[in-house]
Amino acid sequence: MESSAKNKELYQDMVKKASPNSHIFKNCIKAFVVGGIICCIGQFITNYLKELGLTQNDTGIYTSSVLIFIAALMTGLGLYGKLGKFAGAGSIVPITGFSNSVASPAIEFKKEGFVTGLGAKIFIVAGPVILYGILTSVIVGIIYYFLK
Amino acid sequence: MAKHIGKQSVKFESKISVISTASTVGTKEGEGPLGQYFDVVLKDAVDGEDSWEKAESKIAKDNLSLAVKKAGLTMDDIEYIFSGDLLNQGTGSAYGIRDLKRPFFGLYGACSTFGESMCLGSVMIESGGASKVLVGASSHFCAAEKQFRFPLGLGTQRPLTSTWTVTGDGAAVLSKDGNAPFITGMTTGKIVDFGVTDANNMGAAMATAAADVILANFKDFGISPDYYDLIITGDLGYVGKDLTIDLLKKEGVDISKNYTDCGIEIYDRESQDTHSGGSGCACSAVTFSAYFFDKMKKGELNRILFVPTGALMSSTSVQQGESIPGIAHAVILENSFEEVI
């Protein structure tokens, strides 16, 4: 049982053979359906708000806010985690997934206080998305400025 | 005095008796196949406390006390406590044990901690340094997820190779006087690292350490797998169990006939959705304390090799791209005691 480079390589092959793979096709279908439903709900809200006479810009903001609220509420009730287990990327990619990734650490780290716990850890999952999202938008903005 | 055997084993000369055990588990474990064997099944994950970490400490304290009570002793009779857990700086154990006011060694061997506790507790008795010691280990699913993985409410999918951390505490009172079963020997494991980096496949990371220490046990004592009624690893799960069997087959040893893993025994993976099985310090600790101890007491098992397994990584080491080192300690438990030649 020497952990030589050759044995390590052989072992990686053994691990690969012994480890079951996730059901990618089944998961993709589930993600497609659930993600689609979430987007349909968003579209439904948008149409409804338009009916009420809101402008295009305002409907976008209100629709996002409603979806974010629903997902945060579902996270608090312990439902979004269950949805995520079923849907995978289908519930992570829409804006509701972003809401869940902020709300769940907020709940988890509340016990360590509102500043050192909740405050410091709230973006532990969403932080990279926010940072690199903003960074990308700045870069794209600069490119756009020069190409315009 | 204990006898050093082979490269890394010890044969005890004293009759180190396991006079009592106690097990406390969470609701999920209580609903599992071993549910009826546990002493206490908690109603919820916080057990009356306001955080999971505090709950783990309370579970540890209550369960250690229960083991002492079941032995017909009081805490004052206990000369040392050996215990550990998964939380940073061992707070899961220490915060519970501070109220017990007994001399304490806090241990960390990741999920192999119960094996480490049993080994060192036995050495303490064998040395004459104590006549009664309390050994234990605890873990908590929610607290472990929070420290090692993601917030509980985050909607993610767990890979099929992942395991489920057992909530609970397993404890045993070891004594120089008492009835069977006895701890008659031990093989201390080496840190073994075959370069597994996937923190969602701990069974694979630890299987090499388990195979290594089991092989060492056979070599040091000059025995073969059928010497034992059962060989029991700690928390390798389905993936790790298969790998351990394959690794040992390559070394010319077949343990497939009398080998199981606590992580497989504790949950029903179909109905409980636990994927590869159970894990955590409590996995081997409660499964031994509740189930295998009972089987030995009834004489259904008379000689076992109990091998709690651990992965010695932290969330920081994983983020820095380090591989996951495994460790395992083998404890020999027998109903008959043969004098050392």
Side-chain angles (χ1 to χ4, degrees), chain B residues 56 60-61 64 80-86 90 92-94 97 100 103-109 113-114 116-118 120-121 134-139 169-172 281 285:
Chain B
E56 182 173 341
K61 177 184 149 188
L64 288 165
Y80 291 95
I81 300 174
F82 293 81
S83 188
D85 59 276
L86 291 177
S93 304
I97 291 166
L100 301 179
F104 167 58
F105 285 108
L107 306 177
Y108 187 80
T113 301
F114 193 60
E116 196 177 353
S117 306
M118 284 180 117
L120 295 176
L134 181 55
V135 301
S138 65
S139 56
D169 183 275
C281 299

PDB file of all heavy atoms in Angstrom, chain B residues 56 60-61 64 80-86 90 92-94 97 100 103-109 113-114 116-118 120-121 134-139 169-172 281 285:
ATOM      1  N   GLU B  56     -25.002  19.978  20.177  1.00  0.00           N
ATOM      2  CA  GLU B  56     -24.024  18.881  20.144  1.00  0.00           C
ATOM      3  C   GLU B  56     -23.334  18.720  21.502  1.00  0.00           C
ATOM      4  O   GLU B  56     -23.141  17.603  21.989  1.00  0.00           O
ATOM      5  CB  GLU B  56     -22.966  19.100  19.042  1.00  0.00           C
ATOM      6  CG  GLU B  56     -21.988  17.922  18.988  1.00  0.00           C
ATOM      7  CD  GLU B  56     -21.016  17.974  17.817  1.00  0.00           C
ATOM      8  OE1 GLU B  56     -21.270  18.697  16.834  1.00  0.00           O
ATOM      9  OE2 GLU B  56     -19.990  17.266  17.896  1.00  0.00           O
ATOM     10  N   ALA B  60     -23.450  15.461  23.876  1.00  0.00           N
ATOM     11  CA  ALA B  60     -22.232  14.802  24.352  1.00  0.00           C
ATOM     12  C   ALA B  60     -22.267  14.646  25.872  1.00  0.00           C
ATOM     13  O   ALA B  60     -22.015  13.556  26.413  1.00  0.00           O
ATOM     14  CB  ALA B  60     -20.996  15.594  23.920  1.00  0.00           C
ATOM     15  N   LYS B  61     -22.609  15.739  26.553  1.00  0.00           N
ATOM     16  CA  LYS B  61     -22.642  15.705  28.023  1.00  0.00           C
ATOM     17  C   LYS B  61     -23.669  14.691  28.531  1.00  0.00           C
ATOM     18  O   LYS B  61     -23.370  13.849  29.383  1.00  0.00           O
ATOM     19  CB  LYS B  61     -22.988  17.105  28.532  1.00  0.00           C
ATOM     20  CG  LYS B  61     -23.138  17.229  30.022  1.00  0.00           C
ATOM     21  CD  LYS B  61     -23.584  18.640  30.362  1.00  0.00           C
ATOM     22  CE  LYS B  61     -24.452  18.638  31.606  1.00  0.00           C
ATOM     23  NZ  LYS B  61     -25.045  19.949  31.834  1.00  0.00           N
ATOM     24  N   LEU B  64     -22.583  10.996  27.646  1.00  0.00           N
ATOM     25  CA  LEU B  64     -21.467  10.511  28.466  1.00  0.00           C
ATOM     26  C   LEU B  64     -21.978  10.187  29.870  1.00  0.00           C
ATOM     27  O   LEU B  64     -21.621   9.164  30.462  1.00  0.00           O
ATOM     28  CB  LEU B  64     -20.348  11.561  28.517  1.00  0.00           C
ATOM     29  CG  LEU B  64     -19.534  11.734  27.220  1.00  0.00           C
ATOM     30  CD1 LEU B  64     -18.717  13.018  27.257  1.00  0.00           C
ATOM     31  CD2 LEU B  64     -18.607  10.547  26.960  1.00  0.00           C
ATOM     32  N   TYR B  80     -10.724   9.403  33.866  1.00  0.00           N
ATOM     33  CA  TYR B  80     -10.390  10.226  32.699  1.00  0.00           C
ATOM     34  C   TYR B  80     -11.507  10.148  31.674  1.00  0.00           C
ATOM     35  O   TYR B  80     -12.169   9.110  31.546  1.00  0.00           O
ATOM     36  CB  TYR B  80      -9.101   9.737  32.007  1.00  0.00           C
ATOM     37  CG  TYR B  80      -7.862   9.974  32.829  1.00  0.00           C
ATOM     38  CD1 TYR B  80      -7.366   8.965  33.657  1.00  0.00           C
ATOM     39  CD2 TYR B  80      -7.188  11.194  32.783  1.00  0.00           C
ATOM     40  CE1 TYR B  80      -6.235   9.165  34.428  1.00  0.00           C
ATOM     41  CE2 TYR B  80      -6.053  11.400  33.545  1.00  0.00           C
ATOM     42  CZ  TYR B  80      -5.586  10.389  34.365  1.00  0.00           C
ATOM     43  OH  TYR B  80      -4.463  10.597  35.120  1.00  0.00           O
ATOM     44  N   ILE B  81     -11.665  11.231  30.923  1.00  0.00           N
ATOM     45  CA  ILE B  81     -12.556  11.203  29.761  1.00  0.00           C
ATOM     46  C   ILE B  81     -11.699  11.433  28.522  1.00  0.00           C
ATOM     47  O   ILE B  81     -10.858  12.337  28.494  1.00  0.00           O
ATOM     48  CB  ILE B  81     -13.638  12.312  29.843  1.00  0.00           C
ATOM     49  CG1 ILE B  81     -14.510  12.129  31.093  1.00  0.00           C
ATOM     50  CG2 ILE B  81     -14.505  12.309  28.579  1.00  0.00           C
ATOM     51  CD1 ILE B  81     -15.501  13.258  31.328  1.00  0.00           C
ATOM     52  N   PHE B  82     -11.887  10.570  27.524  1.00  0.00           N
ATOM     53  CA  PHE B  82     -11.261  10.765  26.210  1.00  0.00           C
ATOM     54  C   PHE B  82     -12.393  10.968  25.216  1.00  0.00           C
ATOM     55  O   PHE B  82     -13.221  10.069  25.038  1.00  0.00           O
ATOM     56  CB  PHE B  82     -10.467   9.527  25.782  1.00  0.00           C
ATOM     57  CG  PHE B  82      -9.259   9.236  26.619  1.00  0.00           C
ATOM     58  CD1 PHE B  82      -9.373   8.586  27.843  1.00  0.00           C
ATOM     59  CD2 PHE B  82      -7.990   9.595  26.180  1.00  0.00           C
ATOM     60  CE1 PHE B  82      -8.256   8.303  28.613  1.00  0.00           C
ATOM     61  CE2 PHE B  82      -6.858   9.321  26.942  1.00  0.00           C
ATOM     62  CZ  PHE B  82      -6.995   8.671  28.167  1.00  0.00           C
ATOM     63  N   SER B  83     -12.441  12.133  24.596  1.00  0.00           N
ATOM     64  CA  SER B  83     -13.537  12.340  23.649  1.00  0.00           C
ATOM     65  C   SER B  83     -13.158  13.396  22.618  1.00  0.00           C
ATOM     66  O   SER B  83     -12.201  14.144  22.795  1.00  0.00           O
ATOM     67  CB  SER B  83     -14.797  12.758  24.420  1.00  0.00           C
ATOM     68  OG  SER B  83     -15.897  12.785  23.544  1.00  0.00           O
ATOM     69  N   GLY B  84     -13.916  13.436  21.553  1.00  0.00           N
ATOM     70  CA  GLY B  84     -13.653  14.428  20.506  1.00  0.00           C
ATOM     71  C   GLY B  84     -14.841  14.552  19.578  1.00  0.00           C
ATOM     72  O   GLY B  84     -15.844  13.861  19.724  1.00  0.00           O
ATOM     73  N   ASP B  85     -14.706  15.453  18.615  1.00  0.00           N
ATOM     74  CA  ASP B  85     -15.802  15.738  17.685  1.00  0.00           C
ATOM     75  C   ASP B  85     -15.227  16.402  16.442  1.00  0.00           C
ATOM     76  O   ASP B  85     -14.012  16.443  16.262  1.00  0.00           O
ATOM     77  CB  ASP B  85     -16.834  16.642  18.355  1.00  0.00           C
ATOM     78  CG  ASP B  85     -16.221  17.955  18.795  1.00  0.00           C
ATOM     79  OD1 ASP B  85     -15.636  18.009  19.888  1.00  0.00           O
ATOM     80  OD2 ASP B  85     -16.278  18.926  18.022  1.00  0.00           O
ATOM     81  N   LEU B  86     -16.097  16.944  15.607  1.00  0.00           N
ATOM     82  CA  LEU B  86     -15.637  17.522  14.336  1.00  0.00           C
ATOM     83  C   LEU B  86     -15.518  19.034  14.353  1.00  0.00           C
ATOM     84  O   LEU B  86     -14.929  19.631  13.453  1.00  0.00           O
ATOM     85  CB  LEU B  86     -16.613  17.151  13.213  1.00  0.00           C
ATOM     86  CG  LEU B  86     -16.671  15.689  12.788  1.00  0.00           C
ATOM     87  CD1 LEU B  86     -17.728  15.515  11.718  1.00  0.00           C
ATOM     88  CD2 LEU B  86     -15.321  15.232  12.251  1.00  0.00           C
ATOM     89  N   GLY B  90     -12.515  21.458  18.769  1.00  0.00           N
ATOM     90  CA  GLY B  90     -13.139  20.431  19.625  1.00  0.00           C
ATOM     91  C   GLY B  90     -14.179  20.953  20.586  1.00  0.00           C
ATOM     92  O   GLY B  90     -14.392  20.381  21.663  1.00  0.00           O
ATOM     93  N   GLY B  92     -17.369  20.972  20.356  1.00  0.00           N
ATOM     94  CA  GLY B  92     -18.543  20.107  20.492  1.00  0.00           C
ATOM     95  C   GLY B  92     -18.446  19.249  21.740  1.00  0.00           C
ATOM     96  O   GLY B  92     -19.412  19.087  22.477  1.00  0.00           O
ATOM     97  N   SER B  93     -17.256  18.708  21.992  1.00  0.00           N
ATOM     98  CA  SER B  93     -17.051  17.895  23.200  1.00  0.00           C
ATOM     99  C   SER B  93     -16.772  18.768  24.408  1.00  0.00           C
ATOM    100  O   SER B  93     -17.423  18.649  25.439  1.00  0.00           O
ATOM    101  CB  SER B  93     -15.838  16.972  23.033  1.00  0.00           C
ATOM    102  OG  SER B  93     -15.970  16.179  21.911  1.00  0.00           O
ATOM    103  N   ALA B  94     -15.800  19.655  24.245  1.00  0.00           N
ATOM    104  CA  ALA B  94     -15.272  20.381  25.399  1.00  0.00           C
ATOM    105  C   ALA B  94     -16.354  21.171  26.146  1.00  0.00           C
ATOM    106  O   ALA B  94     -16.399  21.165  27.375  1.00  0.00           O
ATOM    107  CB  ALA B  94     -14.155  21.318  24.962  1.00  0.00           C
ATOM    108  N   ILE B  97     -18.343  18.750  28.158  1.00  0.00           N
ATOM    109  CA  ILE B  97     -17.592  18.040  29.189  1.00  0.00           C
ATOM    110  C   ILE B  97     -17.137  18.968  30.315  1.00  0.00           C
ATOM    111  O   ILE B  97     -16.872  18.526  31.422  1.00  0.00           O
ATOM    112  CB  ILE B  97     -16.406  17.282  28.521  1.00  0.00           C
ATOM    113  CG1 ILE B  97     -16.984  16.131  27.677  1.00  0.00           C
ATOM    114  CG2 ILE B  97     -15.426  16.736  29.536  1.00  0.00           C
ATOM    115  CD1 ILE B  97     -16.023  15.503  26.714  1.00  0.00           C
ATOM    116  N   LEU B 100     -18.791  18.337  33.483  1.00  0.00           N
ATOM    117  CA  LEU B 100     -18.644  17.020  34.119  1.00  0.00           C
ATOM    118  C   LEU B 100     -17.517  16.995  35.155  1.00  0.00           C
ATOM    119  O   LEU B 100     -17.424  16.065  35.951  1.00  0.00           O
ATOM    120  CB  LEU B 100     -18.417  15.932  33.061  1.00  0.00           C
ATOM    121  CG  LEU B 100     -19.531  15.787  32.008  1.00  0.00           C
ATOM    122  CD1 LEU B 100     -19.188  14.693  30.994  1.00  0.00           C
ATOM    123  CD2 LEU B 100     -20.873  15.498  32.655  1.00  0.00           C
ATOM    124  N   PRO B 103     -11.054  14.857  34.717  1.00  0.00           N
ATOM    125  CA  PRO B 103      -9.868  15.050  33.864  1.00  0.00           C
ATOM    126  C   PRO B 103     -10.175  14.637  32.418  1.00  0.00           C
ATOM    127  O   PRO B 103     -10.799  13.594  32.195  1.00  0.00           O
ATOM    128  CB  PRO B 103      -8.827  14.114  34.486  1.00  0.00           C
ATOM    129  CG  PRO B 103      -9.259  13.977  35.900  1.00  0.00           C
ATOM    130  CD  PRO B 103     -10.758  14.003  35.882  1.00  0.00           C
ATOM    131  N   PHE B 104      -9.727  15.458  31.481  1.00  0.00           N
ATOM    132  CA  PHE B 104     -10.213  15.285  30.108  1.00  0.00           C
ATOM    133  C   PHE B 104      -9.090  15.393  29.076  1.00  0.00           C
ATOM    134  O   PHE B 104      -8.277  16.306  29.121  1.00  0.00           O
ATOM    135  CB  PHE B 104     -11.267  16.379  29.851  1.00  0.00           C
ATOM    136  CG  PHE B 104     -11.660  16.543  28.403  1.00  0.00           C
ATOM    137  CD1 PHE B 104     -12.178  15.485  27.675  1.00  0.00           C
ATOM    138  CD2 PHE B 104     -11.523  17.780  27.775  1.00  0.00           C
ATOM    139  CE1 PHE B 104     -12.551  15.648  26.345  1.00  0.00           C
ATOM    140  CE2 PHE B 104     -11.897  17.955  26.447  1.00  0.00           C
ATOM    141  CZ  PHE B 104     -12.404  16.885  25.735  1.00  0.00           C
ATOM    142  N   PHE B 105      -9.053  14.444  28.162  1.00  0.00           N
ATOM    143  CA  PHE B 105      -8.199  14.558  26.982  1.00  0.00           C
ATOM    144  C   PHE B 105      -9.106  14.768  25.773  1.00  0.00           C
ATOM    145  O   PHE B 105      -9.903  13.892  25.440  1.00  0.00           O
ATOM    146  CB  PHE B 105      -7.368  13.278  26.771  1.00  0.00           C
ATOM    147  CG  PHE B 105      -6.213  13.136  27.722  1.00  0.00           C
ATOM    148  CD1 PHE B 105      -6.240  12.192  28.743  1.00  0.00           C
ATOM    149  CD2 PHE B 105      -5.100  13.950  27.599  1.00  0.00           C
ATOM    150  CE1 PHE B 105      -5.174  12.068  29.622  1.00  0.00           C
ATOM    151  CE2 PHE B 105      -4.027  13.825  28.470  1.00  0.00           C
ATOM    152  CZ  PHE B 105      -4.072  12.886  29.488  1.00  0.00           C
ATOM    153  N   GLY B 106      -8.978  15.925  25.139  1.00  0.00           N
ATOM    154  CA  GLY B 106      -9.763  16.198  23.937  1.00  0.00           C
ATOM    155  C   GLY B 106      -9.008  15.683  22.716  1.00  0.00           C
ATOM    156  O   GLY B 106      -7.845  15.993  22.520  1.00  0.00           O
ATOM    157  N   LEU B 107      -9.684  14.869  21.915  1.00  0.00           N
ATOM    158  CA  LEU B 107      -8.998  14.224  20.796  1.00  0.00           C
ATOM    159  C   LEU B 107      -9.546  14.694  19.467  1.00  0.00           C
ATOM    160  O   LEU B 107     -10.709  15.077  19.366  1.00  0.00           O
ATOM    161  CB  LEU B 107      -9.168  12.706  20.880  1.00  0.00           C
ATOM    162  CG  LEU B 107      -8.759  12.053  22.197  1.00  0.00           C
ATOM    163  CD1 LEU B 107      -9.071  10.566  22.136  1.00  0.00           C
ATOM    164  CD2 LEU B 107      -7.284  12.259  22.477  1.00  0.00           C
ATOM    165  N   TYR B 108      -8.691  14.651  18.440  1.00  0.00           N
ATOM    166  CA  TYR B 108      -9.190  14.889  17.090  1.00  0.00           C
ATOM    167  C   TYR B 108      -8.616  13.860  16.131  1.00  0.00           C
ATOM    168  O   TYR B 108      -7.404  13.827  15.899  1.00  0.00           O
ATOM    169  CB  TYR B 108      -8.863  16.299  16.582  1.00  0.00           C
ATOM    170  CG  TYR B 108      -9.542  16.539  15.252  1.00  0.00           C
ATOM    171  CD1 TYR B 108     -10.880  16.873  15.209  1.00  0.00           C
ATOM    172  CD2 TYR B 108      -8.863  16.348  14.059  1.00  0.00           C
ATOM    173  CE1 TYR B 108     -11.545  17.026  14.003  1.00  0.00           C
ATOM    174  CE2 TYR B 108      -9.511  16.500  12.848  1.00  0.00           C
ATOM    175  CZ  TYR B 108     -10.852  16.844  12.827  1.00  0.00           C
ATOM    176  OH  TYR B 108     -11.511  16.984  11.630  1.00  0.00           O
ATOM    177  N   GLY B 109      -9.472  13.037  15.623  1.00  0.00           N
ATOM    178  CA  GLY B 109      -9.046  12.093  14.583  1.00  0.00           C
ATOM    179  C   GLY B 109     -10.093  12.098  13.502  1.00  0.00           C
ATOM    180  O   GLY B 109     -10.349  11.085  12.877  1.00  0.00           O
ATOM    181  N   THR B 113     -12.353   9.399  15.516  1.00  0.00           N
ATOM    182  CA  THR B 113     -12.100   9.792  16.911  1.00  0.00           C
ATOM    183  C   THR B 113     -12.528   8.735  17.929  1.00  0.00           C
ATOM    184  O   THR B 113     -11.851   8.541  18.935  1.00  0.00           O
ATOM    185  CB  THR B 113     -12.793  11.138  17.213  1.00  0.00           C
ATOM    186  OG1 THR B 113     -12.268  12.110  16.309  1.00  0.00           O
ATOM    187  CG2 THR B 113     -12.532  11.596  18.631  1.00  0.00           C
ATOM    188  N   PHE B 114     -13.636   8.048  17.665  1.00  0.00           N
ATOM    189  CA  PHE B 114     -14.082   7.049  18.652  1.00  0.00           C
ATOM    190  C   PHE B 114     -13.053   5.916  18.774  1.00  0.00           C
ATOM    191  O   PHE B 114     -12.811   5.409  19.872  1.00  0.00           O
ATOM    192  CB  PHE B 114     -15.459   6.494  18.273  1.00  0.00           C
ATOM    193  CG  PHE B 114     -16.105   5.709  19.378  1.00  0.00           C
ATOM    194  CD1 PHE B 114     -16.376   6.303  20.606  1.00  0.00           C
ATOM    195  CD2 PHE B 114     -16.439   4.376  19.203  1.00  0.00           C
ATOM    196  CE1 PHE B 114     -16.966   5.577  21.636  1.00  0.00           C
ATOM    197  CE2 PHE B 114     -17.030   3.641  20.232  1.00  0.00           C
ATOM    198  CZ  PHE B 114     -17.293   4.235  21.448  1.00  0.00           C
ATOM    199  N   GLU B 116      -9.847   6.286  18.245  1.00  0.00           N
ATOM    200  CA  GLU B 116      -8.724   6.908  18.951  1.00  0.00           C
ATOM    201  C   GLU B 116      -9.021   6.955  20.463  1.00  0.00           C
ATOM    202  O   GLU B 116      -8.150   6.646  21.279  1.00  0.00           O
ATOM    203  CB  GLU B 116      -8.542   8.330  18.390  1.00  0.00           C
ATOM    204  CG  GLU B 116      -7.227   8.971  18.730  1.00  0.00           C
ATOM    205  CD  GLU B 116      -7.102  10.357  18.070  1.00  0.00           C
ATOM    206  OE1 GLU B 116      -7.974  10.733  17.265  1.00  0.00           O
ATOM    207  OE2 GLU B 116      -6.134  11.044  18.399  1.00  0.00           O
ATOM    208  N   SER B 117     -10.251   7.327  20.808  1.00  0.00           N
ATOM    209  CA  SER B 117     -10.656   7.379  22.228  1.00  0.00           C
ATOM    210  C   SER B 117     -10.524   6.004  22.866  1.00  0.00           C
ATOM    211  O   SER B 117      -9.981   5.868  23.972  1.00  0.00           O
ATOM    212  CB  SER B 117     -12.114   7.817  22.367  1.00  0.00           C
ATOM    213  OG  SER B 117     -12.367   9.010  21.711  1.00  0.00           O
ATOM    214  N   MET B 118     -11.021   4.980  22.162  1.00  0.00           N
ATOM    215  CA  MET B 118     -10.973   3.617  22.716  1.00  0.00           C
ATOM    216  C   MET B 118      -9.534   3.150  22.891  1.00  0.00           C
ATOM    217  O   MET B 118      -9.186   2.561  23.919  1.00  0.00           O
ATOM    218  CB  MET B 118     -11.703   2.647  21.778  1.00  0.00           C
ATOM    219  CG  MET B 118     -13.202   2.722  21.850  1.00  0.00           C
ATOM    220  SD  MET B 118     -13.915   1.536  20.693  1.00  0.00           S
ATOM    221  CE  MET B 118     -14.777   0.453  21.807  1.00  0.00           C
ATOM    222  N   LEU B 120      -6.695   4.987  23.219  1.00  0.00           N
ATOM    223  CA  LEU B 120      -5.950   5.708  24.260  1.00  0.00           C
ATOM    224  C   LEU B 120      -6.530   5.435  25.643  1.00  0.00           C
ATOM    225  O   LEU B 120      -5.790   5.365  26.626  1.00  0.00           O
ATOM    226  CB  LEU B 120      -5.932   7.203  23.943  1.00  0.00           C
ATOM    227  CG  LEU B 120      -5.151   7.542  22.658  1.00  0.00           C
ATOM    228  CD1 LEU B 120      -5.255   9.020  22.336  1.00  0.00           C
ATOM    229  CD2 LEU B 120      -3.687   7.145  22.787  1.00  0.00           C
ATOM    230  N   GLY B 121      -7.845   5.263  25.713  1.00  0.00           N
ATOM    231  CA  GLY B 121      -8.474   4.899  26.981  1.00  0.00           C
ATOM    232  C   GLY B 121      -7.952   3.544  27.469  1.00  0.00           C
ATOM    233  O   GLY B 121      -7.648   3.359  28.654  1.00  0.00           O
ATOM    234  N   LEU B 134     -13.818   6.968  30.566  1.00  0.00           N
ATOM    235  CA  LEU B 134     -15.001   7.171  29.731  1.00  0.00           C
ATOM    236  C   LEU B 134     -14.515   7.624  28.357  1.00  0.00           C
ATOM    237  O   LEU B 134     -13.710   8.560  28.256  1.00  0.00           O
ATOM    238  CB  LEU B 134     -15.857   8.262  30.398  1.00  0.00           C
ATOM    239  CG  LEU B 134     -17.179   8.691  29.782  1.00  0.00           C
ATOM    240  CD1 LEU B 134     -18.109   7.519  29.572  1.00  0.00           C
ATOM    241  CD2 LEU B 134     -17.842   9.722  30.709  1.00  0.00           C
ATOM    242  N   VAL B 135     -14.949   6.926  27.324  1.00  0.00           N
ATOM    243  CA  VAL B 135     -14.515   7.302  25.969  1.00  0.00           C
ATOM    244  C   VAL B 135     -15.741   7.636  25.118  1.00  0.00           C
ATOM    245  O   VAL B 135     -16.810   7.067  25.326  1.00  0.00           O
ATOM    246  CB  VAL B 135     -13.691   6.182  25.290  1.00  0.00           C
ATOM    247  CG1 VAL B 135     -12.463   5.847  26.112  1.00  0.00           C
ATOM    248  CG2 VAL B 135     -14.525   4.928  25.063  1.00  0.00           C
ATOM    249  N   GLY B 136     -15.563   8.581  24.202  1.00  0.00           N
ATOM    250  CA  GLY B 136     -16.728   8.946  23.382  1.00  0.00           C
ATOM    251  C   GLY B 136     -16.354   9.774  22.166  1.00  0.00           C
ATOM    252  O   GLY B 136     -15.186  10.126  21.960  1.00  0.00           O
ATOM    253  N   ALA B 137     -17.355  10.044  21.365  1.00  0.00           N
ATOM    254  CA  ALA B 137     -17.195  10.920  20.198  1.00  0.00           C
ATOM    255  C   ALA B 137     -18.576  11.389  19.757  1.00  0.00           C
ATOM    256  O   ALA B 137     -19.559  10.664  19.908  1.00  0.00           O
ATOM    257  CB  ALA B 137     -16.512  10.178  19.056  1.00  0.00           C
ATOM    258  N   SER B 138     -18.611  12.614  19.220  1.00  0.00           N
ATOM    259  CA  SER B 138     -19.910  13.148  18.800  1.00  0.00           C
ATOM    260  C   SER B 138     -19.802  13.882  17.476  1.00  0.00           C
ATOM    261  O   SER B 138     -18.721  14.299  17.054  1.00  0.00           O
ATOM    262  CB  SER B 138     -20.448  14.109  19.869  1.00  0.00           C
ATOM    263  OG  SER B 138     -19.603  15.234  19.968  1.00  0.00           O
ATOM    264  N   SER B 139     -20.926  14.020  16.805  1.00  0.00           N
ATOM    265  CA  SER B 139     -21.009  14.880  15.626  1.00  0.00           C
ATOM    266  C   SER B 139     -22.461  15.315  15.455  1.00  0.00           C
ATOM    267  O   SER B 139     -23.351  14.742  16.076  1.00  0.00           O
ATOM    268  CB  SER B 139     -20.498  14.162  14.372  1.00  0.00           C
ATOM    269  OG  SER B 139     -21.189  12.955  14.151  1.00  0.00           O
ATOM    270  N   ASP B 169     -24.111  11.043  19.759  1.00  0.00           N
ATOM    271  CA  ASP B 169     -22.909  10.802  20.557  1.00  0.00           C
ATOM    272  C   ASP B 169     -22.911   9.340  20.973  1.00  0.00           C
ATOM    273  O   ASP B 169     -23.946   8.800  21.365  1.00  0.00           O
ATOM    274  CB  ASP B 169     -22.899  11.695  21.805  1.00  0.00           C
ATOM    275  CG  ASP B 169     -21.619  11.515  22.623  1.00  0.00           C
ATOM    276  OD1 ASP B 169     -21.562  10.586  23.466  1.00  0.00           O
ATOM    277  OD2 ASP B 169     -20.668  12.290  22.425  1.00  0.00           O
ATOM    278  N   GLY B 170     -21.752   8.717  20.826  1.00  0.00           N
ATOM    279  CA  GLY B 170     -21.588   7.344  21.297  1.00  0.00           C
ATOM    280  C   GLY B 170     -20.544   7.358  22.399  1.00  0.00           C
ATOM    281  O   GLY B 170     -19.552   8.087  22.309  1.00  0.00           O
ATOM    282  N   ALA B 171     -20.771   6.597  23.457  1.00  0.00           N
ATOM    283  CA  ALA B 171     -19.835   6.593  24.579  1.00  0.00           C
ATOM    284  C   ALA B 171     -19.733   5.201  25.177  1.00  0.00           C
ATOM    285  O   ALA B 171     -20.669   4.405  25.083  1.00  0.00           O
ATOM    286  CB  ALA B 171     -20.297   7.585  25.644  1.00  0.00           C
ATOM    287  N   ALA B 172     -18.580   4.926  25.782  1.00  0.00           N
ATOM    288  CA  ALA B 172     -18.386   3.640  26.450  1.00  0.00           C
ATOM    289  C   ALA B 172     -17.556   3.844  27.706  1.00  0.00           C
ATOM    290  O   ALA B 172     -16.690   4.721  27.752  1.00  0.00           O
ATOM    291  CB  ALA B 172     -17.676   2.666  25.511  1.00  0.00           C
ATOM    292  N   CYS B 281     -18.095  11.557  13.311  1.00  0.00           N
ATOM    293  CA  CYS B 281     -17.572  10.838  14.481  1.00  0.00           C
ATOM    294  C   CYS B 281     -18.634   9.941  15.091  1.00  0.00           C
ATOM    295  O   CYS B 281     -18.346   8.833  15.551  1.00  0.00           O
ATOM    296  CB  CYS B 281     -17.164  11.823  15.574  1.00  0.00           C
ATOM    297  SG  CYS B 281     -15.889  12.963  15.113  1.00  0.00           S
ATOM    298  N   ALA B 285     -19.342   5.676  16.384  1.00  0.00           N
ATOM    299  CA  ALA B 285     -19.525   5.682  17.845  1.00  0.00           C
ATOM    300  C   ALA B 285     -20.905   5.160  18.247  1.00  0.00           C
ATOM    301  O   ALA B 285     -21.022   4.299  19.119  1.00  0.00           O
ATOM    302  CB  ALA B 285     -19.300   7.096  18.399  1.00  0.00           C
TER     303      ALA B 285
END
